[in-house]
């Protein structure tokens, strides 16, 4: 059996097999968090430009954009997939170094709306997308992440699997959907080493590409079933010949969707442990930003490679700058969307504090990545006091999760200013109550 076939047999089984209620609850949490990322992203510049580029595919079709505009299924997946990654507040599966929600849920909702699927079928599709794509991402591993943006590459399997389930593909059709999706996998890390709009587009393209692969498979389109493990396949071409059987071993026993990280800060996840550590020291020792002489952040190497920008000049660059977000946390007590305003970017005092932040690689933390995302933060004050703490995990990680209440607060903070409090409350009630009796047409910003 080829690896695509093994994943497909599992995915097609999720169409009607028993799923524990706690797993459905975690899927609802993922959808709530996705929506909290979607709505602020839907009014960002990259989403506006993408809608203008795709105007011929809007105002008709059975799917809906975030704020209610009708769209073709593919356009909705592409635009919502982009919007839900644009604000950098979407979820993470840390072992795959991957944001599963943006590509997976965007494709699932677009197709579910077109098919008039119910809430339970939609959740099953989300679960299938998460379980298959996170395992493929975990297999591709850290070697893949050296050059590739996993949300663009691995994300195609999340959207393909979700769409394949909603289309009720047979196991062989499901396998061909995954095989075709593999050839669409793309997204280079170089695309966000400087200011650009490419990064969120990776997620949107993954949502659209996986959806297309599944819709093609439903019409009999075939792919190369050995595309993952073959001699010239994705595993060898884009990683270091991964162990596929290892990640398949627990697929009938463990649900990865129950181990997702929900972001507590509006920036790159690699910056979270430094932010959390700096805030903990500040609170514990009563340190004011003006008292800081020096800050040393020691963490794992990929965090510095991706988020080590010492002098960001734009909001996009600042989200990938440990010096910027740590200085912001110490000055303002949090790193929310307002942290990346033009006013904050031009703040002379913030820039001065940034210059006091030093970055270093900790060998132990580097060896533990990606399973652990830790940092050591040292703060030296002007009066000669030095305090230090290890932040072994991140607030929002599975071992320090956001509660349902905290997740709802995140939703309210991000969605309310765009939709208004009454509409936000209506949407959140619908999301938390998704089940076999739910309809999906009302899950957008307008009535």
């Amino acid at each position: 059996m080829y690896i695509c076939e093994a994943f497909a047999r599992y995915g097609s089984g999720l169409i009607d097999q028993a799923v524990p209620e706690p797993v459905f609850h975690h899927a609802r949490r993922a959808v709530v968090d996705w929506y909290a990322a979607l709505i602020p992203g839907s009014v960002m510049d990259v989403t506006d430009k993408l809608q203008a580029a795709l105007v011929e595919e809007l105002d008709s079709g059975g799917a809906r954009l975030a704020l209610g505009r009708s769209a073709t299924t593919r356009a909705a997946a592409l635009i919502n997939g982009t919007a839900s990654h644009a604000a950098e507040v979407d979820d993470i599966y840390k072992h795959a170094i991957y944001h599963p929600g943006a590509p997976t849920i965007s494709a699932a909702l677009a197709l579910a709306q077109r098919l008039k699927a119910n809430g339970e079928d939609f959740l099953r599709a989300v679960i299938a997308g998460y379980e298959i794509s996170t395992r493929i991402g975990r297999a591709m591993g850290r070697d893949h992440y050296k050059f590739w943006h996993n949300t663009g590459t691995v994300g195609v399997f999340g959207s393909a699997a979700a769409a394949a389930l909603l289309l009720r593909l047979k196991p062989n059709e499901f396998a061909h959907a995954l095989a075709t999706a593999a050839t669409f996998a793309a997204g280079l890390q170089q695309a966000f080493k400087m200011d650009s709009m490419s990064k969120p587009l990776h997620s949107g393209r993954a949502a659209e590409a996986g959806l297309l692969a599944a819709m093609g498979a439903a019409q009999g389109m075939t792919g190369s079933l050995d595309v993952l493990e073959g001699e010239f396949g994705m595993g060898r071409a884009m990683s270091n010949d991964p162990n596929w059987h290892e990640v398949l071993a627990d697929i009938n026993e463990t649900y990865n969707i129950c181990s997702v990280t929900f972001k507590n800060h509006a920036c790159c996840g690699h910056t979270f442990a430094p932010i959390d550590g700096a805030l903990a020291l500040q609170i514990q020792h009563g340190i004011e930003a003006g008292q800081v002489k020096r800050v040393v952040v020691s963490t794992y190497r990929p965090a510095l490679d991706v988020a080590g920008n010492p002098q960001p000049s734009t909001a996009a660059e600042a989200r990938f700058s440990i010096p910027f977000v740590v200085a912001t946390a110490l000055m303002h007590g949090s790193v929310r969307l307002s942290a990346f305003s033009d006013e904050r970017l031009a703040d002379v005092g913030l820039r001065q504090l940034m210059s006091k932040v030093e970055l270093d690689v900790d060998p132990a933390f580097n060896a533990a990545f990606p399973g652990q995302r830790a940092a050591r933060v040292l703060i030296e004050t002007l009066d000669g006091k030095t305090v230090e703490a290890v932040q072994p995990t991140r607030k929002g990680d599975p071992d320090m999760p956001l509660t349902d209440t905290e997740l709802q607060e995140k939703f309210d903070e991000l969605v309310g200013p765009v939709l208004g409090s009454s509409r936000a409350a209506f949407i959140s009630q619908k999301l938390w109550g998704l089940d076999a009796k739910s309809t999906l047409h009302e899950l957008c910003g307008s009535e």
Side-chain angles (χ1 to χ4, degrees), residues 77 124 143 195 225 249 300 343 348 352 365 368 405 408 417 433 436 444:
R124 287 178 178 271
D143 289 331
D195 186 40
L225 294 176
Y300 49 94
E343 180 182 6
V348 174
Q352 290 175 341
F365 298 157
T405 298
Q408 181 62 48
C444 58

Side-chain angles (χ1 to χ4, degrees), residues 88-356:
E88 292 290 343
V89 290
D90 49 329
D91 66 2
I92 303 166
Y93 183 69
K94 65 179 181 179
H95 299 289
I97 325 173
Y98 162 52
H99 301 275
T104 301
I105 301 176
S106 300
L109 183 60
L111 184 58
Q113 287 175 331
R114 192 195 86 188
L115 297 175
K116 296 180 171 59
N118 64 44
E120 181 180 321
D121 287 342
F122 168 59
L123 291 177
R124 287 178 178 271
V126 170
I127 293 166
Y130 272 62
E131 297 312 311
I132 290 172
S133 65
T134 55
R135 284 173 169 81
I136 291 174
R138 187 167 189 165
M140 295 295 286
R142 186 169 173 172
D143 289 331
H144 180 66
Y145 189 65
K146 183 176 181 180
F147 296 109
W148 300 96
H149 179 205
N150 296 22
T151 302
T153 55
V154 176
V156 298
F157 300 105
S159 56
L165 186 143
L166 286 166
L167 291 166
R168 307 186 80 82
L169 298 190
K170 297 175 182 178
N172 66 311
E173 296 170 329
F174 202 124
H176 284 294
L178 296 176
T180 297
T183 67
F184 293 158
L188 294 167
Q189 282 203 29
Q190 191 63 43
F192 48 94
K193 296 298 184 183
M194 63 183 296
D195 186 40
S196 84
M197 295 181 178
S198 299
K199 185 174 187 285
L201 286 169
H202 292 170
S203 172
R205 183 70 181 99
E208 180 205 17
L211 175 67
L212 176 62
M215 293 193 300
Q219 301 302 318
M221 190 177 295
T222 61
S224 300
L225 294 176
D226 63 350
V227 71
L228 293 178
E229 73 272 33
E231 182 180 358
F232 301 99
M234 185 175 180
R236 291 191 178 183
M238 299 170 75
S239 185
N240 188 25
D241 202 12
N243 186 335
W244 298 106
H245 296 286
E246 182 179 19
V247 296
L248 278 162
D250 69 344
I251 199 166
N252 292 306
E253 304 165 7
T254 303
Y255 288 92
N256 288 347
I257 201 168
C258 299
S259 300
V260 169
T261 296
F262 296 121
K263 285 189 171 185
N264 196 42
H265 310 294
C267 47
C268 174
H270 292 311
T271 70
F272 285 15
I275 293 171
D276 291 340
L279 287 174
L281 284 174
Q282 184 177 53
I283 293 169
Q284 182 179 354
H285 299 281
I287 300 170
E288 299 289 339
Q291 299 174 309
V292 174
K293 178 181 179 181
R294 177 171 173 252
V295 180
V296 181
V297 175
S298 302
T299 187
Y300 49 94
R301 167 55 64 185
L304 305 192
D305 292 340
V306 174
N309 189 335
Q311 288 295 332
S313 59
T314 67
E317 291 175 351
R319 288 186 172 94
F320 292 84
S321 170
I322 293 173
F324 182 90
V325 297
V326 167
T328 296
L330 290 172
M331 286 190 70
H332 299 282
S334 66
V335 186
R336 303 297 193 187
L337 290 179
S338 60
F340 306 99
S341 66
D342 290 342
E343 180 182 6
R344 293 279 188 90
L345 287 167
D347 188 322
V348 174
L350 180 61
R351 291 286 172 173
Q352 290 175 341
L353 185 54
M354 283 174 58
S355 69
K356 300 175 183 179

Side-chain angles (χ1 to χ4, degrees), residues 364-379:
F365 298 157
N366 189 49
F369 176 82
Q372 183 183 26
R373 310 291 180 91
R376 178 182 293 101
V377 180
L378 178 149
I379 298 178

